[in-house]
Amino acid sequence: MRTKALRALGQIVTSDASILATPNVRRAIESHLLDSSSAVRDAAVELIGKYMIDSPEVAGDYYQKIADRIAVRELSHVIREREAYLVSKDTGLGVRKRVIKLLKSFYSVTEDTTRRIDIATRIVLRMLDEDETVRDLALKTIEEL
């Protein structure tokens, strides 16, 4: 039901992407990014992803929440604690793959060097993912960037 609701919201947002910037909608979507169901989290990432590339204001609002789905934010912590490299922020395989694809697209449209470095770092960290398909996708993505 929650997944269907997010997909329905996606259809509504096609007419006005600024709805995603509304505080109540933003809080609801952010809570779905943390849902116990990976299908719901995936639907939330998909919803944001559709509009993140075309609407910079949406990207600014949601970037950190999306990026946190695939890798830790504190790189210095990761370097000190080698085992932290293997920790995924999202347990859903499909969610991690969708986020990698979304960040690849966002990398191409952003001119913010700091954000590009952050995207590349997070994707490189997924090259150490426990799942081979995620590792392969991360490697392919880095090669294409």
Side-chain angles (χ1 to χ4, degrees), residues 104-137:
K104 174 188 171 192
S105 297
F106 188 59
Y107 183 96
S108 301
V109 299
T110 187
E111 295 182 15
D112 182 343
T113 305
T114 304
R115 192 150 283 174
R116 283 180 152 209
I117 292 169
D118 186 61
I119 290 169
T121 301
R122 289 169 190 273
I123 294 172
V124 166
L125 289 174
R126 286 303 93 217
M127 293 166 83
L128 299 169
D129 197 278
E130 61 272 8
D131 183 84
E132 184 178 352
T133 61
V134 174
R135 289 192 307 261
D136 291 345
L137 178 61

Side-chain angles (χ1 to χ4, degrees), residues 28-46:
I29 293 172
E30 287 175 355
S31 72
H32 288 309
L33 286 170
L34 304 173
D35 198 277
S36 60
S37 166
S38 65
V40 173
R41 293 191 309 272
D42 189 54
V45 171
E46 179 183 25

Side-chain angles (χ1 to χ4, degrees), residues 4 6 23 30 37-38 44 59 61 64 85-86 95 98 118 130 139:
K4 288 182 181 181
L6 285 169
E30 287 175 355
S37 166
S38 65
D61 290 345
Q64 199 61 54
Y85 271 122
L86 303 176
V95 176
R98 187 180 300 278
D118 186 61
E130 61 272 8
L139 178 61

